[in-house]
Amino acid sequence: MQKVAVIGAGTMGNGIAHVFAQNGFSVNLVDVSEAALQKAQQTIAKNLDRQVTKGSITEDVKTQTLANISLHTDLPSGVSDADLVVEAATENINLKLKIFQDLDQHAKPGTILATNTSSISITKIAAATKRPGKVIGMHFMNPVPVMKLVEIINGYATEKEVTTTIVALSEKLGKVPCVVNDYPGFIANRILMPMINEAIYSLFEGVAGVAEIDTVMKLGMAHPMGPLQLADFIGLDVCLSILNVLHDGFGNPKYAPCPLLVNMVTAGYLGAKSGEGFYKYTAGSKDLVVSDRFSR
C-alpha cells in the first residue's frame, strides 16, 4: 500500500495528507476547490517549516514530503490508482454518502475506503457502497501531525483483514490505533461531548464562569485544555452536530444539547473559526480572552 488519496483539503484533510506524505506515501489530495487545495499546500509547508525549526525533521524530509503530494480537483482521477482512500470532508451525512457512492464507482475494486468521520455511522456509510467489507472508520485527532491517536471504527460488515491492515498502517504512521465498534459517537465523542455539554450547562445555569470551569478541569483533572476552550477549538457547530447524532442514535435525553449551545450556533458564534465563542479570538494573538457575553 503506497498510494493514498485524501478527500477534502480542510484542516483534517491537509493534516492527514501531511502525515501520510511525511511517512513516504504518495498522496493525492482531492478537493472540488482549487483555492482550498492551494491553501492546504501552504498550510502543510508552514507546518513542515515549524518541524524543521524544532529539529524534528530535516529540510530534505520537508522537500520530499511536499513532493509526495499532488493536488486534484477531479475525484475520479484522484482516486483511480489509490490503494487507500481517506475521506475527510465536512461532517454532513448526505455529502459523505454521495462521496462514498462516487468512491465506490471510481476506486479500484480492492481499495479500502476509510472515513475520518467523528460521529456518523460507518455501517450507514458502508451501505452506500457495493463493498461494505472494505469500508472502515479512521478517525484522526486534530492537529493530525501532533496527535498520536487514531480511533479505528469497524462497521457491521468491515472485514477483519481490513481492520488488521488499517491498524498496521496507523502504526507505520507513528500513531497509536484504538479499535472500537460502530455505535453513535464511537468512544472519543461519546465520552467527550457529554462532558463539554455538561460544562456548557454549568455555565448556562450560572454554576461558574467560563474561566472558572476551564481552570477547574485543567488544574483539577490535568486536562491540557478546558472543555469550553476545547469546544471553541473543535467548533461549536461540530459539537452540536455530534450531540444531535448521540441524542438521535440513543434516544436518551442525557445527550440533548444545552439550549445555550443551540443559541450560540444559531447566532453564528462558532468558536475560534468565527472569531468568538466562549472566548474571543484575535488574529496573531494567543491570549485567552473570555467573550464579553460571559464576563463576570
Side-chain angles (χ1 to χ4, degrees), residues 50 52 62-63 95 105 153-154 156 188 207 216 228:
R50 191 175 295 115
V52 171
K62 172 197 166 183
T63 301
L95 175 62
Q105 180 180 352
I153 308 102
N154 286 321
Y156 191 81
V207 178
V216 165
L228 298 178

Coordinates of all heavy atoms in Angstrom, one line a residue, residues 50 52 62-63 95 105 153-154 156 188 207 216 228:
R50 N 7.8 24.5 10.6 CA 7.8 24.5 12.1 C 8.5 23.3 12.6 O 9.3 23.4 13.6 CB 6.3 24.5 12.6 CG 6.2 24.8 14.1 CD 4.8 24.9 14.5 NE 4.1 26.1 13.9 CZ 3.1 26.1 13.1 NH1 2.7 24.9 12.6 NH2 2.6 27.2 12.6
V52 N 10.9 21.7 11.0 CA 12.3 21.9 10.7 C 12.9 22.8 11.8 O 14.0 22.5 12.3 CB 12.5 22.5 9.3 CG1 14.0 22.9 9.1 CG2 12.1 21.5 8.2
K62 N 11.3 17.7 4.6 CA 10.3 18.6 4.2 C 10.1 18.6 2.7 O 9.0 18.6 2.2 CB 10.7 20.0 4.7 CG 9.7 21.1 4.1 CD 10.3 22.5 4.3 CE 9.5 23.5 3.4 NZ 10.1 24.8 3.4
T63 N 11.2 18.7 1.9 CA 11.2 18.8 0.5 C 10.5 17.5 -0.1 O 9.7 17.6 -1.0 CB 12.6 19.0 -0.1 OG1 13.2 20.2 0.4 CG2 12.6 19.0 -1.6
L95 N -23.6 14.5 2.3 CA -22.4 14.7 1.5 C -21.5 13.4 1.5 O -21.0 13.0 0.5 CB -21.6 15.9 2.0 CG -20.3 16.1 1.4 CD1 -20.4 16.5 -0.1 CD2 -19.6 17.3 2.1
Q105 N -17.5 3.8 -7.1 CA -17.6 3.7 -8.6 C -16.2 3.9 -9.2 O -15.9 3.2 -10.2 CB -18.6 4.8 -9.1 CG -18.7 4.8 -10.6 CD -19.7 5.9 -11.1 OE1 -20.3 6.5 -10.3 NE2 -19.7 6.1 -12.4
I153 N -12.7 2.5 13.6 CA -14.1 2.0 13.8 C -14.5 1.0 12.8 O -14.6 1.2 11.6 CB -15.1 3.2 13.8 CG1 -14.6 4.4 14.7 CG2 -16.5 2.8 14.2 CD1 -14.0 5.5 14.0
N154 N -14.9 -0.2 13.3 CA -15.4 -1.3 12.5 C -16.9 -1.0 12.2 O -17.7 -0.9 13.2 CB -15.2 -2.6 13.2 CG -13.8 -3.1 13.2 OD1 -13.1 -2.9 12.2 ND2 -13.4 -3.7 14.3
Y156 N -20.5 -2.7 10.7 CA -21.0 -4.0 11.0 C -20.5 -5.0 10.0 O -20.3 -6.2 10.3 CB -22.6 -4.0 10.8 CG -23.3 -5.2 11.3 CD1 -23.5 -5.4 12.6 CD2 -23.7 -6.2 10.4 CE1 -24.1 -6.6 13.1 CE2 -24.3 -7.4 10.8 CZ -24.5 -7.5 12.2 OH -25.1 -8.7 12.6
A188 N -14.5 8.2 21.5 CA -13.9 9.5 21.8 C -15.0 10.5 22.0 O -15.1 11.2 23.1 CB -13.1 10.0 20.6
V207 N -23.6 28.2 37.4 CA -22.8 27.5 38.5 C -21.4 28.1 38.6 O -20.9 28.3 39.7 CB -22.7 26.0 38.2 CG1 -21.8 25.3 39.2 CG2 -24.1 25.3 38.1
V216 N -10.9 24.7 36.6 CA -11.1 23.5 37.4 C -10.7 22.2 36.6 O -10.0 21.3 37.2 CB -12.6 23.4 37.8 CG1 -12.9 22.0 38.3 CG2 -12.9 24.5 38.9
L228 N -14.6 24.2 27.6 CA -15.2 25.3 26.9 C -14.2 25.8 25.8 O -14.6 26.1 24.7 CB -15.7 26.4 27.8 CG -16.7 26.0 28.8 CD1 -17.1 27.2 29.7 CD2 -18.0 25.5 28.1

